[in-house]
Amino acid sequence: MNDDAGTRLALPALPRVDGRARLTVKRRDMRSVIDTVRTSGAAKLLFPRATERLDVLLVNTAGGLTGGDRIELDIGIAAGATLALTTQAAERAYRAASGIARVESRVTVAEGGSLLWLPQELILYDHASLRRSLRVDLAPSARLLLVEPVIFGRAAMGETVRHGAFHDRIEITRDGVPLYFDSLRIEGDIAGRLARPAIGRSAGAMASVVLVDPGAEGHLDAIRTLLPATGGATLLAPDLLAVRLVAPDGYTLRRDLLPVLDRLTVDTLPAAWRL
């Protein structure tokens, strides 16, 4: 088809991921159970086990994220209830031809409630563009265990993230007062930036772990003995423990991270982490 008439053949717009999930959890008869659940688009929630706590698997049925995609998650945990959230597999942020993928999560935890935020790794591919945010609002007696592992390309596949954009924001408040804030912004030559000694010393993977619990201080010494030389743990408050860990690749990161998570979950890490 020629262009003599000044008209052009329009290419069809690529479909975009638009997933939304809302979940509320309550305590009933000494167990944590679903109160309400709603999902739409590519965001699905699966409930694999029935125990005293409620376990949920977050699934992106689109298989990954690219520019223009959006996932939103809204969770409410009622008084005395416990929720453990993980993902069915590693999330993937693929090359973005244009636009930015966005993942926004909000969680509120009422008095005596507990959240175990335990997603598996996020894998960033070359030229990925992702902006991610997590806000957790805790009541004064609520508890939290949070992990966010990130892999910059799969080393075993010879992948290097030479260009891209990753903005990550974690905000934790207690009774409306800021408790923990972490923001990461890395753009351009990601591999080059991670190679800098003050940033990553050529790390290909990293993880952050946060524990908000009255017993946090009692874990500090044990966690430090579990960490490699590329990890560190510190007590930001008597009930606030923060752990940082970098590794050359995803395999090493998971190997070093699992003992830490096993201790902090008292060996009740969701089964998806073992598959």
Side-chain angles (χ1 to χ4, degrees):
M1 180 177 181
N2 64 47
D3 197 34
D4 292 343
T7 61
R8 295 182 181 275
L9 181 63
L11 295 175
L14 295 175
R16 297 300 188 191
V17 171
D18 185 7
R20 302 169 192 266
R22 173 167 176 76
L23 171 68
T24 58
V25 181
K26 63 183 180 181
R27 188 164 180 83
R28 184 181 66 195
D29 299 331
M30 305 301 293
R31 294 176 58 189
S32 299
V33 298
I34 299 169
D35 184 18
T36 62
V37 59
R38 296 177 183 174
T39 62
S40 65
K44 304 299 180 187
L45 300 177
L46 304 177
F47 302 90
R49 60 186 291 188
T51 61
E52 183 178 346
R53 77 182 188 197
L54 180 67
D55 282 19
V56 60
L57 282 171
L58 175 62
V59 180
N60 176 5
T61 59
L65 298 165
T66 187
D69 293 347
R70 189 181 187 102
I71 297 286
E72 292 186 9
L73 181 63
D74 193 354
I75 295 175
I77 301 173
T82 299
L83 175 70
L85 178 143
T86 188
T87 51
Q88 189 177 38
E91 180 63 281
R92 290 165 168 79
Y94 294 114
R95 180 187 183 96
S98 63
I100 301 172
R102 299 178 184 271
V103 178
E104 299 176 0
S105 303
R106 298 171 296 276
V107 188
T108 58
V109 189
E111 292 286 357
S114 297
L115 169 65
L116 288 80
W117 181 269
L118 304 168
Q120 296 189 68
E121 298 89 346
L122 166 68
I123 302 175
L124 293 170
Y125 288 75
D126 196 26
H127 285 80
S129 182
L130 173 64
R131 180 168 293 171
R132 188 174 68 168
S133 66
L134 168 63
R135 179 185 175 96
V136 182
D137 295 313
L138 301 172
S141 63
R143 304 184 183 199
L144 168 68
L145 172 60
L146 176 154
V147 63
E148 284 289 2
V150 181
I151 298 173
F152 297 93
R154 299 171 299 174
M157 305 297 291
E159 297 169 354
T160 302
V161 183
R162 301 209 173 274
H163 191 277
F166 179 46
H167 301 177
D168 198 23
R169 178 186 176 103
I170 298 172
E171 184 178 357
I172 303 170
T173 62
R174 179 157 54 196
D175 200 22
V177 177
L179 182 64
Y180 178 90
F181 178 79
D182 187 21
S183 182
L184 170 68
R185 182 185 182 109
I186 185 167
E187 297 179 336
D189 181 7
I190 292 180
R193 293 178 185 276
L194 289 174
R196 295 179 181 177
I199 297 178
R201 289 187 177 270
S202 298
M206 66 182 187
S208 295
V209 180
V210 179
L211 176 68
V212 182
D213 186 282
E217 187 172 4
H219 290 288
L220 180 61
D221 291 341
I223 294 298
R224 283 175 170 169
T225 64
L226 293 172
L227 292 172
T230 55
T234 186
L235 202 66
L236 300 178
D239 62 348
L240 177 56
L241 175 68
V243 179
R244 297 279 197 180
L245 180 62
V246 296
D249 51 53
Y251 171 81
T252 305
L253 180 72
R254 177 169 284 225
R255 183 199 66 192
D256 295 338
L257 190 57
L258 279 173
V260 175
L261 296 181
D262 280 336
R263 178 181 174 87
L264 296 180
T265 62
V266 195
D267 294 319
T268 62
L269 193 63
W273 273 83
R274 309 291 184 188
L275 301 178

